[in-house]
Amino acid sequence: MDAFFASVEQASKPSLRGKAVVVGGLGPRGVVATASYEARVFGVHSAMPMGQARRLAPNAAYLVPRFGFYKAISERVMELLRALSPLVEPLSLDEAFVDLEAGGAAWDEQSARLVGARLRADIRAVTGLTGSVGLAASKMLAKIASEQAKPDGLVVIEPGTERAMLGPMSVRTLPGVGPATGDHLRRAGITTIEEIVEAGEDELVRLLGKSHGHGLYAMALARDDRPVVAEREAKSVSVEDTYDVDIHDRVRVGLEVQRLADRCVRRLRGAGLSGRTIVLKVRRYDFSTLTRSETLRGPTDDPAVIREAAARLLDSVDTTGGVRLLGVGVSGLADYTQEDLFAQAAGERAEVRGPVEEPAVVPAEEQPALAERRWPAGHDVRHAAFGHGWVQGSGLGRVTVRFETPGSEPGRVRTFRVDDPDLEPADPLPLVLSRPEGSRGPEGGSGAVGLRSAAP
DNA sequence: TCTGGGGTCCTAAAGCAA
DNA sequence: TCTGTTGCTTTAGGACCC
């Protein structure tokens, strides 16, 4: 999907269409998740600190991501993909590989083009959004093709043309070459993909190590036989928080770690999993990051056990100077939530040393006490008199709402007190009205979707 | 206003067992 | 008994991706 999060917001908010839209964390330490193409003109791009984005594009609309909504749209698109082939490998909410041959959906260039074009039309019809398609003989090439196809396009890489096409491109085009590897190669005088080929496999292995070296050399020759793998199992579950201001108080650090451990357990249990290795992550005031881990004798999903492990791990890290991020994760996952006796026993042993403060129950959902949190920028609301709208901004006891819906004209803005009883949070409206040929319910209710997809 | 959150994979060191 | 080799597991860190 093209600029997925931003496109969803533009589709659901008519007044933002054609405008610079930036979606991401709005706090003092937020970063850009997605910038609309209009915002990219100003130099805004994903992973950029929000402050920098605001300096570059002060008049853009700044919105908080609505992952639940994006996920619902993503699922509709993934359904379309699975209709083409059982082999669908999602890379993220907005991207997936599809093995068209395995699905019998396409067998040559012509049939593939047809399938790709029809898919793009279907995505548009079902979601109201544009997606781009890259068609090629391998995952790496399909990915590169889909990048070239964006926005709103379709690109085919024909067999036999791969090497010539890759040659002049930057090494950074290859998947797996990020800033560090890119720098490394540049210092060795290697900037383009053909220079990787010229350098030779031995030189690459010498520069980057065995695995990465062999892998990159193969990619540079357009050799990639990795299969499309449907539904890969999760290998870890983790949660982390970056704090608006560094935490110095050691007691508070401990409390936050407990909260994170509980949240992690909720996610673990929600997925029907348990795990053996507990990981604590600490990012300090100077952005240095360290992890500490502990492997239990067997998998567990017991909140008390995981909390205590996390607390023990915290004992071994120095937090003087302050902490900007804390995280708790679990890996070594086991499929079923089977109570593990060893882990339980370990927990009980620990309990002997002192009473465990809290029952294993999770604290109440963090209620956003602040008015600003109750009305996050971009979220939908309903007003008793003015109908459906979205929060444009809030602060100083006021919330500003624009009243419009995906199908309406750009709407008017009104400001209310944050505690106005006529104003309440609302669910997002479908981006596309379902067309139940015949009956024309004003707002059909079902059928909204939208996303941008990439890949083969 | 410097730098999110959720992951994956790789490497290297250290400890231990055969 | 001592020494060396190999291989597995655990731990820590780093690069990368969306």
Side-chain angles (χ1 to χ4, degrees):
Chain A
M1 305 297 291
D2 307 318
F4 183 42
F5 297 174
S7 295
V8 171
E9 299 305 338
Q10 288 177 318
S12 61
K13 300 173 170 71
S15 59
L16 298 185
R17 292 174 196 163
K19 286 196 50 184
V21 173
V22 180
V23 181
L26 298 186
R29 288 173 169 174
V31 300
V32 176
T34 313
S36 72
Y37 284 91
E38 297 86 347
R40 293 182 196 188
V41 170
F42 295 96
V44 178
H45 57 79
S46 44
M48 172 182 282
M50 268 298 167
Q52 196 180 344
R54 285 189 194 274
R55 259 174 270 128
L56 292 169
N59 296 315
Y62 288 88
L63 306 172
V64 139
R66 297 187 288 168
F67 286 104
F69 190 34
Y70 308 148
K71 180 138 188 284
I73 294 166
S74 172
E75 275 160 13
R76 294 293 194 95
V77 175
M78 296 298 170
E79 271 172 38
L80 293 175
L81 301 184
R82 277 190 294 266
L84 299 177
S85 167
L87 283 189
V88 174
E89 179 177 336
L91 290 184
S92 63
L93 279 186
D94 76 333
E95 245 182 327
F97 290 116
V98 182
D99 187 330
L100 294 178
E101 248 175 54
W107 51 92
D108 62 4
E109 190 199 329
Q110 265 324 98
S111 54
R113 270 187 197 276
L114 257 142
V115 167
R118 202 179 59 211
L119 171 64
R120 294 198 340 104
D122 288 347
I123 289 176
R124 177 143 225 167
V126 169
T127 71
L129 302 176
T130 65
S132 298
V133 170
L135 295 161
S138 70
K139 293 210 280 192
M140 170 194 83
L141 292 167
K143 172 109 178 145
I144 290 173
S146 79
E147 291 298 324
Q148 292 184 337
K150 279 179 209 181
D152 197 15
L154 180 151
V155 165
V156 181
I157 297 177
E158 293 180 39
T161 68
E162 296 97 340
R163 292 277 307 273
M165 182 203 72
L166 289 177
M169 297 171 87
S170 160
V171 294
R172 292 293 307 271
T173 313
L174 297 177
V177 181
T181 309
D183 264 21
H184 205 134
L185 290 173
R186 192 173 41 72
R187 279 195 293 270
I190 298 173
T191 326
T192 64
I193 294 176
E194 63 202 351
E195 283 165 350
I196 290 182
V197 177
E198 286 161 16
E201 188 163 23
D202 291 350
E203 174 70 355
L204 243 81
V205 169
R206 197 182 61 75
L207 284 169
L208 304 178
K210 231 192 291 195
S211 170
H212 211 183
H214 286 302
L216 268 193
Y217 186 73
M219 299 258 219
L221 292 175
R223 289 202 299 241
D224 171 23
D225 56 4
R226 296 168 301 163
V228 174
V229 181
E231 49 199 74
R232 300 166 12 168
E233 306 203 328
K235 307 217 160 146
S236 65
V237 172
S238 66
V239 298
E240 63 187 52
D241 270 348
T242 292
Y243 302 97
D244 286 354
V245 299
D246 292 350
I247 303 179
H248 290 86
D249 178 9
R250 185 73 192 196
V251 175
R252 239 209 91 199
V253 171
L255 287 172
E256 291 297 331
V257 167
Q258 301 297 293
R259 282 184 49 236
L260 289 162
D262 287 335
R263 261 166 64 191
C264 187
V265 166
R266 255 178 284 169
R267 292 255 310 273
L268 198 62
R269 290 189 161 183
L273 295 168
S274 55
R276 252 188 100 205
T277 302
I278 317 302
V279 185
L280 175 74
K281 176 172 170 181
V282 178
R283 176 120 75 212
R284 293 190 272 212
Y285 66 100
D286 62 354
F287 216 73
S288 63
T289 305
L290 50 82
T291 62
R292 291 292 178 269
S293 63
E294 175 181 317
T295 299
L296 308 172
R297 298 178 59 181
T300 183
D301 70 342
D302 183 333
V305 172
I306 291 174
R307 278 195 206 182
E308 284 162 18
R312 273 195 301 277
L313 292 167
L314 178 60
D315 285 339
S316 73
V317 346
D318 177 16
T319 60
T320 54
V323 151
R324 79 150 38 212
L325 169 146
L326 292 169
V328 172
V330 175
S331 61
L333 300 182
D335 247 343
Y336 282 108
T337 298
Q338 92 262 38
E339 280 318 66
D340 183 271
L341 298 181
F342 290 118
Q344 295 282 6
E348 281 154 28
R349 251 179 281 119
E351 240 167 315
V352 173
R353 280 180 303 172
V356 177
E357 350 268 274
E358 261 279 310
V361 184
V362 178
E365 281 304 297
E366 37 227 276
Q367 266 312 349
L370 295 175
E372 271 196 44
R373 297 261 201 236
R374 255 186 60 100
W375 307 111
H379 282 223
D380 288 81
V381 294
R382 170 160 288 279
H383 187 276
F386 301 110
H388 193 96
W390 57 277
V391 175
Q392 210 162 25
S394 66
L396 301 173
R398 307 283 157 153
V399 51
T400 300
V401 177
R402 187 180 288 274
F403 289 98
E404 60 185 4
T405 64
S408 73
E409 295 292 305
R412 297 281 304 273
V413 165
R414 288 196 153 77
T415 296
F416 307 91
R417 296 172 41 142
V418 291
D419 55 359
D420 190 319
D422 287 342
L423 199 61
E424 60 184 16
D427 288 331
L429 296 177
L431 300 183
V432 173
L433 294 187
S434 53
R435 290 157 288 179
E437 65 252 46
S439 78
R440 32 132 227 176
E443 256 161 301
S446 79
V449 178
L451 173 52
R452 94 190 151 87
S453 80

